[in-house]
């Protein structure tokens, strides 16, 4: 079996261009089986490989309500596209109606009135310099949640923003960074990223500066303090003529590899009572 390498998507957008080790080029159609294999949906892939399927009209409409087009469903099932198109009209109208209702949902409030999703998106896209037509669509997931999508082109490549639309209370929840940016909602706190990884900025299409480095390690700070103490080892600080000279505490601290106990043995901490002051042992003569 010979391996092939993906080169690009063909200009028609319906095929992949592949090349083998000898430089021979091949063309592979992007069909529903390839999509199922790419997303590792083995259950659906097995059903597709069983051959043509005959779906009931309500099953056809359920698939189209879930986001499939008549042509995609025909490719997936082997049914004539003309047969599927007989049942898609009411469902497409339903999807369009949900998308239109979602565009009317208020996403911001001000003294001059509410700003709808369509108005907020249009204002943001205009500021971004998007002049190409935009496309609104919606579909319903298996769990019953409606997804609303705005597709547009920016920076020379297609983009899409998606919201979860709750029909019961007419509210929207952004599902990606594009949707949050278009409605002016703050992004969630990102997880900590490696220092050499740059974060993508949706609004500017440019990488941001790396995150600030973490605070110093407490253990490293302790080692720095010990280095400073070693530099002062053997030095005496003047404390007055009448005060007897005491052993250098820096020297005594550095004599042992471990710091002294919280209470020196002679201080008898077990005999202490509230407000008692524990005295240090007498210095050696």
């Amino acid at each position: 079996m010979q391996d092939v390498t993906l080169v690009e998507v063909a200009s028609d957008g319906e095929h992949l261009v592949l090349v083998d080790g000898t430089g021979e080029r091949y063309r592979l159609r992007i069909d529903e089986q390839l999509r199922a294999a790419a997303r590792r949906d083995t259950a659906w892939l097995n059903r597709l490989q069983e051959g043509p399927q005959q779906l009931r009209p309500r099953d056809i409409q359920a698939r189209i309500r879930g986001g499939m087009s008549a042509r995609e469903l025909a490719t997936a099932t082997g049914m004539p596209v003309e047969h599927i198109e007989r049942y898609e009209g009411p469902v497409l109208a339903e999807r369009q109606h949900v998308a239109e209702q979602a565009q009317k949902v208020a996403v911001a409030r001000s003294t001059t009135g509410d700003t709808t999703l369509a108005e907020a998106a249009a204002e943001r896209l205009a500021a971004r310099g998007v002049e190409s037509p935009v496309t609104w669509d919606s579909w319903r997931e298996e769990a019953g949640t409606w997804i609303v999508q705005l597709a547009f082109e920016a920076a020379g490549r297609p983009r899409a923003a998606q919201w979860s639309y709750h029909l019961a209370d007419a509210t929207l929840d952004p599902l990606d960074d594009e949707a949050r940016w278009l409605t002016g909602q703050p992004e969630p706190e990102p997880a900590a990223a490696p220092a050499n990884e740059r974060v993508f900025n949706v609004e500017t299409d440019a990488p941001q500066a790396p995150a600030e480095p973490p605070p110093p390690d407490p253990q490293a700070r302790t080692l720095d303090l010990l280095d400073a103490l070693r530099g002062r080892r053997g030095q005496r600080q003047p404390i007055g003529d009448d005060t007897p000279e005491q052993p250098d505490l820096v020297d005594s601290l550095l004599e042992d590899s471990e710091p002294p106990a919280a209470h020196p043995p002679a201080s008898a901490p077990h005999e202490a009572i509230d407000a008692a002051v524990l005295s240090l042992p007498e210095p050696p003569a």
Side-chain angles (χ1 to χ4, degrees):
M1 182 178 295
Q2 190 171 6
D3 293 335
V4 293
T5 303
L6 174 64
V7 177
E8 61 182 356
V9 179
S11 57
D12 61 2
E14 298 292 333
H15 296 81
L16 298 177
V17 178
L18 310 174
V19 64
D20 62 13
T22 65
E24 187 73 20
R25 297 168 74 90
Y26 304 89
R27 209 168 61 146
L28 176 64
R29 180 174 177 79
I30 306 175
D31 56 12
E32 187 61 25
Q33 292 189 38
L34 180 59
R35 294 189 180 96
R39 64 176 180 263
R40 299 184 180 181
D41 190 349
T42 55
W44 180 237
L45 180 60
N46 292 334
R47 291 185 60 183
L48 294 176
Q49 293 175 340
E50 291 174 358
Q53 305 175 49
Q54 294 298 321
L55 300 179
R56 294 174 295 179
R58 67 176 184 180
D59 294 331
I60 293 174
Q61 293 187 336
R63 296 286 179 82
I64 296 175
R65 186 177 290 108
M68 296 186 71
S69 67
R71 185 172 299 278
E72 290 173 342
L73 187 55
T75 302
T77 61
M79 298 175 64
V81 66
E82 296 80 12
H83 176 75
I84 297 175
E85 289 175 343
R86 293 170 53 187
Y87 305 101
E88 71 170 351
V91 182
L92 294 179
E94 180 185 9
R95 289 170 54 179
Q96 182 180 1
H97 174 73
V98 173
E100 291 174 352
Q101 293 300 311
Q103 295 177 60
K104 299 176 183 178
V105 173
V107 295
R109 302 184 183 277
S110 64
T111 56
T112 58
D114 295 342
T115 301
T116 65
L117 172 62
E119 294 169 342
E123 180 179 353
R124 287 270 179 157
L125 290 177
R128 198 173 187 176
V130 176
E131 299 178 354
S132 60
V134 299
T135 303
W136 289 92
D137 194 7
S138 71
W139 59 87
R140 192 176 73 179
E141 297 182 324
E142 293 184 2
T145 303
W146 280 90
I147 305 299
V148 176
Q149 175 177 281
L150 171 60
F152 59 96
E153 185 175 312
R157 59 189 182 94
R159 296 180 181 271
Q162 295 182 356
W163 295 265
S164 176
Y165 180 39
H166 308 281
L167 294 176
D169 54 2
T171 57
L172 293 164
D173 291 326
L175 298 179
D176 50 44
D177 290 341
E178 290 284 4
R180 280 184 284 271
W181 182 81
L182 287 172
T183 52
Q185 300 186 26
E187 299 181 12
E189 290 293 332
N196 59 350
E197 182 176 327
R198 295 185 295 184
V199 182
F200 180 74
N201 187 311
V202 176
E203 182 167 356
T204 62
D205 291 338
Q208 297 177 342
E212 294 183 1
D217 187 356
Q219 182 177 2
R221 298 179 60 184
T222 303
L223 294 176
D224 292 340
L225 178 59
L226 291 175
D227 289 340
L229 291 174
R230 289 188 180 96
R232 296 176 49 196
R233 185 173 185 178
Q235 298 180 6
R236 300 290 189 269
Q237 299 296 329
I239 54 177
D241 297 337
D242 298 334
T243 305
E245 188 178 28
Q246 299 292 334
D248 191 345
L249 293 180
V250 174
D251 289 342
S252 61
L253 283 174
L254 294 176
E255 288 297 334
D256 299 324
S257 59
E258 296 182 358
H263 297 282
S267 64
H270 59 280
E271 298 178 0
I273 59 175
D274 291 344
V277 178
L278 302 178
S279 59
L280 292 174
E282 292 296 331

